Amino acid sequence: MSGHKIETIRIHRIRIPARAVHSHGSGDVAGIHVAILEMTTDTGIKGWGEASPWPVFTGTAEGCATALHVYLRPHLIGQDPVQVEKHMSMADKIIVGHPEAKAALEMALLDITGQISGLSVSELVGGRQRDSMGMSFSIANPDFGKDLEDVAAMWEDGVRIFKLKTGFSDHRFDLVRLEKMREIYGETADIRIDYNQGLPAYDAVRRVRDLEAFRPTFVEQPVKMHEREIMAHLTDVIDAPIMADESVFDPKGALYAAQIRMADIFSLKIMKSGGIRRALEVAAIARAAGIEVYGGCMFETGLAHAAGAHLMAAVPDLILDCEFYMATYYAEDDILTEPFPVRNGRVHVPEGQGLGVSVDPVKLRKYAVADPLQ
């Protein structure tokens, strides 16, 4: 036992506007709407967690806030925060699904445990393999001219990885944008493609083959999340690597995906796996099957990005980097007291104990959409 007890839990629901609409094969998004978990011990240590859902993908901020406040909070007050697996097992028994709420819970528990032990979260979950990773920015503005302006500015910042969101308009629009990117930046740009489930299964092979001429590093989730056998077929017949995102949530899903060779790459996301440690289990299954991983994110603040950076810092043999760009290049503002560390096109893992970041209470109040649940 650590000698510390969870004394208070508050849930903040906030909304931060975006600089521009981002379009995807599964819909448009124009802001960040998340639930923030504030957990305090009787010894005055504060831990933070974030539930960052996407309604068409995982869940809602309202559902996450309710799951944390109504169903999980009564089982946590008075408990030892360092007993992380005990609390996460409880959460799995109390509520079905809600992986983002569980991710927020684990995040806060690990943040507190790190501060108690003097270790960072990446050290707690296996050790820090790297201090920084390349950062990918998603080209998703329906106004491609504006996107090109943003890409040029980020190029000056040292960003060299760009993921083109496809499937939200016509096929010709996708081809024109890829051609323009290669015309401007040539082979110096690492270009990836993400359909966000936007392709009809019957025509997926033909359309993806058209894009192969632009030499993408990978093509992410071309078809619907439940069309797993179609994903496996694409992986078999397409030369470009295929990445599964919406089709692989948790270790059980990863095991099935590996068994049918559904993809060449898995996108790791804390929110869909239900926490850092479950995401590392997905990564272990991928590694055993010869499948690569990539550090994906939802529509997150710098708080969830910090947890994602610690996750990817602990993954062995990472070669495809990550995309924790939202707090720096997508949102109009962030909730951290210090900017999330992105420098020269790279995400830097926060230093210090626990998550290594602090939340600004003034920003929580500024972007609140309801009174805190407590």
Side-chain angles (χ1 to χ4, degrees), residues 46 110-125 128 130-131 306-307 309-310 313 341 348-358:
K46 193 179 295 292
L110 289 175
D111 192 16
I112 290 173
T113 301
Q115 293 175 66
I116 291 171
S117 65
L119 299 173
S120 69
V121 166
S122 52
E123 291 168 322
L124 287 174
V125 298
R128 186 176 297 204
R130 60 196 59 80
D131 295 321
H310 282 287
H348 294 260
V349 185
E351 300 290 342
Q353 302 170 357
L355 291 172
V357 296
S358 299

Side-chain angles (χ1 to χ4, degrees), residues 190-314:
D190 182 336
I191 295 177
R192 293 113 187 256
I193 293 168
D194 185 4
Y195 274 102
N196 287 108
Q197 312 178 72
L199 281 183
Y202 83 94
D203 202 26
V205 171
R206 181 174 61 172
R207 294 196 195 185
V208 174
R209 278 182 175 156
D210 283 348
L211 306 190
E212 286 193 291
F214 300 99
R215 301 167 301 284
T217 300
F218 58 69
V219 179
E220 183 175 352
Q221 197 66 44
V223 297
K224 299 292 187 294
M225 61 193 302
H226 64 273
E227 294 173 335
R228 293 176 174 85
E229 288 72 22
I230 303 298
M231 287 282 292
H233 177 63
L234 286 164
T235 300
D236 185 45
V237 302
I238 297 295
D239 289 336
I242 300 295
M243 183 160 78
D245 183 8
E246 289 92 331
S247 291
V248 175
F249 268 57
D250 53 21
K252 184 176 181 179
L255 181 59
Y256 178 71
Q259 288 170 334
I260 68 169
R261 194 65 191 190
M262 189 176 73
D264 303 295
I265 309 162
F266 292 163
S267 176
L268 292 187
K269 291 183 178 177
I270 293 172
M271 296 303 151
K272 65 178 181 176
S273 295
I276 294 173
R277 294 166 317 128
R278 295 293 179 264
L280 285 171
E281 291 174 10
V282 171
I285 292 168
R287 189 163 60 254
I291 294 169
E292 297 296 335
V293 297
Y294 167 76
C297 68
M298 303 292 273
F299 295 91
E300 302 173 351
T301 76
L303 176 60
H305 281 357
H310 282 287
L311 161 66
M312 301 314 296

Side-chain angles (χ1 to χ4, degrees), residues 50-71:
E50 177 175 332
S52 314
W54 186 6
V56 301
F57 190 160
T58 54
T60 66
E62 296 87 349
C64 290
T66 299
L68 288 164
H69 178 68
V70 176
Y71 295 97

Side-chain angles (χ1 to χ4, degrees), residues 33-65:
H33 185 197
V34 300
I36 303 295
L37 169 61
E38 178 184 359
M39 181 182 290
T40 308
T41 68
D42 60 344
T43 52
I45 299 175
K46 193 179 295 292
W48 296 94
E50 177 175 332
S52 314
W54 186 6
V56 301
F57 190 160
T58 54
T60 66
E62 296 87 349
C64 290

